[in-house]
Structure formats: structure tokens, C-alpha cells
Amino acid sequence: MLFPTLAFGVFFLFVYFTAWSLDRENGRRKLFLLLASWFFYAQWDWRFVGLLIGSAVLNWGVAALIARSQAHDPEDADRKARGRRKWLVGLGVTANLLILGLFKYYGFFVEQALDLVSRFGWERDLPLLQIVLPVGISFFTFQGISYLVDVHRRKTPPAKSLLDVMLLMSFFPHLVAGPIVRASDLLPQFDRVPRLTRAMATHGMLLIAWGLFKKTVIASELSVRLVDPVFFDPSAYGTLDLIAAVYGYAVQIYCDFSAYSDMAIGIAALLGYSFPRNFDQPYRASSMQSFWRRWHISLSSWLRDYLYVPLGGGRKGLVSSCINVMITMLLGGLWHGAAWTFIAWGALHGSAQVAERLGRAFLGRYRPSGDLSADDVAVERGVIPTWLGVLITFHVVCLGWILFRAETFGMAMAVLQGLGRFQAASLVTPFLTVLIVGGLAMHWLPPRAVEGMAERLKTAPSVTLGVLIGICILLVEAVRPDGVAPFIYFQF
């Protein structure tokens, strides 16, 4: 069940009216939202609803044991109690990673092991199972891990009930493709009866309309008419088509993923809940560190807080910082998929950030930090112009997108080699050019443009607001292509 479909529209209307009819019964409301979320997830594969339930029970149980130990040792004075809590959180994190590894990485690692032993002339039959990848498993697994770690760090109290943990991990707006909403953000909202303000409703509807446009018009048109054909057979196209396809994919993946985040935030707002912002005009970033402060913010902050900082961050000096950044980005690449191309994509982003750190150290401007993206600078103001930093960063990101989109290294190399093959463009049209230029230009709109528009419209009469939103949706329906492709990040 995809957001931009009639089926989801009917589902959401039923959920919306039923949920608000239970606004005085918060417990029943949460139970209804949980059942609705399981129904939503079951539309992909009902068998994996059991996985959702099992994962929630696991994290609720381990967090409860950690909290019980903390209650007996509020000052962390007992060394044995501290050791027990570390053991518990380690056990819980390991269990989450084993679940993720079994479904997402089992086949990849078995294939690599078979390839390795065959190189030594050994033939071994390892059990290669055909395991279906549950939609959104990376997102709800990371959410469970962050909940355990935050309870252990005393950054958030344990959930008051198993129902809250289940809803935290299963809430349908963010379930299959994020954002990764932390327990500290959502559990306090579950504790109180939600209220829908005029500002929240206006903002939510605008985000949904804007997301529909980005997904069904820009991302879908670029995918079908340009990106998919070129990346299917790069050798059949020349320089202009290949360059357009690379830029087009940069716009496509941004519009596709940010559209899902916008609609998720908007849908949650209409139900009375607030999600954090997940994108902040990433293609106007003037450094790779700045890019990761703006792109998929919930993931980059997760990698920072639960991987980079525990590794030591930048507290032990420049060399340690570079090593930790590289490890973080390699694992971030692996998180996106069980393929060497994703690992290479992570290595490229890690190497670029290491180069930025070394450059600042050479210029005497390195600042140790425990934050993966603390130095939000244009390589360094005063060293190169900001516009040049933006241009360099964008093209490094585009180089990475070739690895990200290509199914194999051979295909990625075919795209790069074809950049020097001059022949008449066959796919680039004025319409596609407008979509690419417009998709990039939206990064230079005023920051928080949708929020600003919502602020101006919140005092408008309800009828006027409804007509405006309706016209926007009808216009999107009129220009969108037939059908809706799954969101790119569903595969992760």
C-alpha cells in the first residue's frame, strides 16, 4: 500500500476519523493505531507482522530489565550492576543486529564465503537460503537499537507499556522508510492525548501535497523517461544522456525519498503527532559534512550518536577522527544494501570527509569534535568561495549516486566510460530538462518554505484552504504518469 494511491487514501480517511473519534480514550486510540499499522504493513507480507511484534517485545523486555537495574542503582555506584546493564544492552543490540543480518545480509555473506573458498580450490556447499527481505526492516531495527541505548544512557525513560513500544516501532507513517523517529521524540507524545491545531493541519496537508508532487511528477517522470533506460544499458547512450541521467538520478532520489518523509511527517501531523525534519536542502551543502547534516538527517544523526561517538568521535585526535568517520560511512553504506557497490559508495563519502578533515588540519583549522558533522563549513570559508564548495560537493555526491544506482561495478564503469562518448542525445527533452533544473533549484528556495506558507495560510477559512489543497492535488493527478513505482528506500 503506497502513499500516493487511492487505496491508501481510503485507508487513511478511515484511520483519521476513527482515531479522532477516540481522542478522549488515549489507550484505545493507541491500540487502534497499532492495529491499523499492522494492517498497513500486512499489505506487503502479513507474515512479517510477527517479526514486528517479536522485535518490539524483545526491545521492550530488554529495556525493562535495564530500567529495573537502574532503579536499584540510580547513581551507577555498583560496578556489578553497571556491568549487568552493559551486558543487557549488548545482548539486545546483538539480537537486533542478528535479525537484521539474517534477513538482509545472510545471502550476501554466504556468497562471499563461497567465492573465497573457491579461490583456494575448495568446494563447499553452504546453505544458501532464499530469504525475503521484510520492507523497512533497517528502519525499525535501528529504531529498536536507539531505544535500548537511550534507556541505558538514561536519555529516555523506558516506555510505560508494551503497547507504546509496539506503536513506536510499528507506527505506519514512518514504518517502511523512515524517518527514524527516536523514543525520546515519540514516547512522550504517546503519553498524552494528542491535539490537532490549525497550524499542524495546514502544515500536514501542504507537506502531503508537496510530497505527492515530488514523487508522482518529478521522481516518476525522471525515472521512467531517463534514469531507468540509461542505467539499464549505459553503452547505448552518449555523453549528454549519461550526464542528464546522473543529474536526473540525483534529483529523482532526493524527490523520491524526501517526498516519503514529507508525506510521513504530514500524515503524522494530521493524527496529532510531530516527526523531526529529515531533509534540509542537501544539494546546497558546501562540504560533505554539511551534506550529511542535510541529507537523511535521522540516519546521519543516528550514525553519529550510536556509532561515530561510541567509537571515540574526534576526541582522540585527527587520526582517530578520520578512522572513525571512515568506519561509520562504510557501515552506513552497508546499511543501504548487501552489495559491494553500496560499500564503495560509503567509502567514497568517508574518503571525502577524511580529505576535508586533513585539509583543515593542513590549514590549521581542524577542530576536534565528537559530532560527525560539526564542521558545517564550505570546506573552509575564506579558503575557497562558497559557490565552488557547493559545486565540488554536489559532483562528489553525484559520483556516489552512480555507484548507488548501478547494480554492479561494471555498470558503474560503463556510465563513467560513456561520459567521453559523444553522440547526439536521444532522451533529453525540454520537459526533462525543466524537471532536473527545477529539482535542483528547489534547494535554493527560502529555507522552511513550506512551514512559512503554512504559517500564512493557517488563518485562512477552512473552505478556502480545502479548495486550495484540492486544486493542488487535482493538478498533480492531471500531470502525473499512470501508476506509482515503489519508493526507492523501501528496499532498505
Side-chain angles (χ1 to χ4, degrees):
M1 189 187 298
L2 300 173
F3 283 172
T5 60
L6 178 61
F8 179 80
V10 173
F11 164 79
F12 178 69
L13 285 175
F14 173 74
V15 171
Y16 176 83
F17 287 111
T18 305
W20 285 113
S21 72
L22 299 170
D23 65 333
R24 297 181 183 276
E25 302 284 346
N26 196 34
R28 293 182 183 179
R29 187 182 205 270
K30 290 188 291 186
L31 179 59
F32 168 73
L33 289 175
L34 178 62
L35 295 175
S37 297
W38 287 347
F39 174 82
F40 173 81
Y41 194 70
Q43 303 312 299
W44 278 277
D45 194 326
W46 63 268
R47 296 170 298 177
F48 291 128
V49 173
L51 177 64
L52 265 179
I53 296 172
S55 182
V57 171
L58 164 71
N59 290 294
W60 170 77
V62 174
L65 291 174
I66 294 171
R68 183 180 302 173
S69 178
Q70 289 173 339
H72 293 296
D73 181 28
E75 302 298 329
D76 285 336
D78 188 335
R79 181 178 299 178
K80 289 184 178 180
R82 291 200 306 270
R84 188 182 309 115
R85 287 193 293 274
K86 288 182 179 179
W87 182 84
L88 282 170
V89 75
L91 180 65
V93 169
T94 301
N96 278 283
L97 292 177
L98 285 175
I99 294 171
L100 180 63
L102 173 65
F103 284 98
K104 190 167 184 176
Y105 302 108
Y106 173 81
F108 173 73
F109 286 119
V110 168
E111 289 177 0
Q112 303 312 307
L114 287 171
D115 181 64
L116 180 63
V117 298
S118 65
R119 294 189 180 190
F120 290 95
W122 303 333
E123 295 297 334
R124 293 289 185 273
D125 291 327
L126 296 178
L128 187 57
L129 306 177
Q130 296 298 320
I131 300 177
V132 178
L133 180 66
V135 174
I137 187 171
S138 297
F139 289 94
F140 67 74
T141 300
F142 271 27
Q143 199 154 22
I145 291 174
S146 67
Y147 171 61
L148 289 181
V149 174
D150 283 353
V151 170
H152 171 65
R153 293 174 176 174
R154 303 178 191 267
K155 289 188 175 181
T156 188
K160 294 181 179 179
S161 68
L162 175 59
L163 173 63
D164 284 354
V165 176
M166 284 186 170
L167 186 56
L168 169 72
M169 297 183 62
S170 304
F171 194 30
F172 72 89
H174 69 79
L175 174 57
V176 295
I180 303 171
V181 187
R182 301 191 191 185
S184 57
D185 290 325
L186 206 47
L187 287 181
Q189 297 184 61
F190 289 159
D191 284 342
R192 58 180 181 266
V193 177
R195 290 289 178 263
L196 182 62
T197 65
R198 187 64 176 263
M200 290 175 66
T202 305
H203 186 214
M205 288 188 289
L206 285 176
L207 280 175
I208 292 170
W210 180 229
L212 282 172
F213 174 73
K214 287 193 291 184
K215 168 59 179 175
T216 62
V217 178
I218 300 179
S220 293
E221 290 283 2
L222 287 174
S223 173
V224 172
R225 298 194 183 194
L226 178 63
V227 176
D228 289 350
V230 170
F231 274 89
F232 179 76
D233 185 12
S235 62
Y237 299 93
T239 303
L240 290 178
D241 280 331
L242 289 166
I243 291 175
V246 173
Y247 288 165
Y249 185 66
V251 173
Q252 178 200 345
I253 192 171
Y254 166 74
C255 286
D256 188 284
F257 192 18
S258 68
Y260 188 94
S261 293
D262 287 346
M263 286 188 277
I265 295 168
I267 290 166
L270 291 179
L271 292 173
Y273 302 104
S274 176
F275 283 1
R277 186 183 182 93
N278 207 27
F279 288 87
D280 185 14
Q281 299 176 309
Y283 293 150
R284 70 185 297 168
S286 53
S287 71
M288 292 302 294
Q289 289 183 334
S290 175
F291 174 80
W292 278 102
R293 292 191 73 180
R294 297 168 176 269
W295 175 273
H296 199 350
I297 299 169
S298 63
L299 174 64
S300 60
S301 61
W302 195 101
L303 292 172
R304 176 196 65 206
D305 294 342
Y306 303 104
L307 186 56
Y308 177 74
V309 171
L311 285 172
R315 297 188 298 272
K316 297 181 180 179
L318 176 62
V319 174
S320 175
S321 173
C322 291
I323 292 173
N324 293 336
V325 164
M326 200 68 193
I327 293 172
T328 300
M329 295 314 301
L330 284 171
L331 292 176
L334 185 62
W335 176 88
H336 281 85
W340 287 108
T341 50
F342 288 116
I343 296 174
W345 174 80
L348 174 67
H349 279 259
S351 299
Q353 292 191 53
V354 166
E356 290 176 356
R357 279 169 161 75
L358 294 176
R360 286 194 290 275
F362 178 76
L363 296 168
R365 301 183 182 187
Y366 171 73
R367 293 179 294 165
S369 172
D371 188 331
L372 176 63
S373 3
D375 300 316
D376 187 6
V377 290
V379 183
E380 275 298 333
R381 289 195 179 100
V383 177
I384 63 172
T386 299
W387 67 266
L388 183 57
V390 172
L391 196 63
I392 293 171
T393 300
F394 175 69
H395 283 90
V396 172
V397 170
C398 285
L399 179 61
W401 288 143
I402 296 174
L403 289 166
F404 197 93
R405 175 60 178 78
E407 296 180 3
T408 64
F409 282 117
M411 187 176 290
M413 290 304 301
V415 172
L416 294 172
Q417 291 168 358
L419 294 176
R421 183 172 53 248
F422 295 98
Q423 65 185 53
S426 60
L427 293 180
V428 181
T429 64
F431 177 61
L432 293 176
T433 302
V434 168
L435 291 182
I436 294 172
V437 173
L440 295 175
M442 69 176 62
H443 287 75
W444 301 95
L445 293 172
R448 310 296 195 273
V450 175
E451 289 87 340
M453 186 178 296
E455 185 66 25
R456 289 190 291 272
L457 289 175
K458 71 178 183 180
T459 57
S462 299
V463 174
T464 302
L465 182 60
V467 169
L468 287 175
I469 297 295
I471 291 173
C472 290
I473 293 175
L474 288 175
L475 287 174
V476 170
E477 284 294 322
V479 299
R480 62 181 281 187
D482 294 333
V484 180
F487 289 88
I488 291 174
Y489 264 68
F490 277 17
Q491 63 184 298
F492 307 135

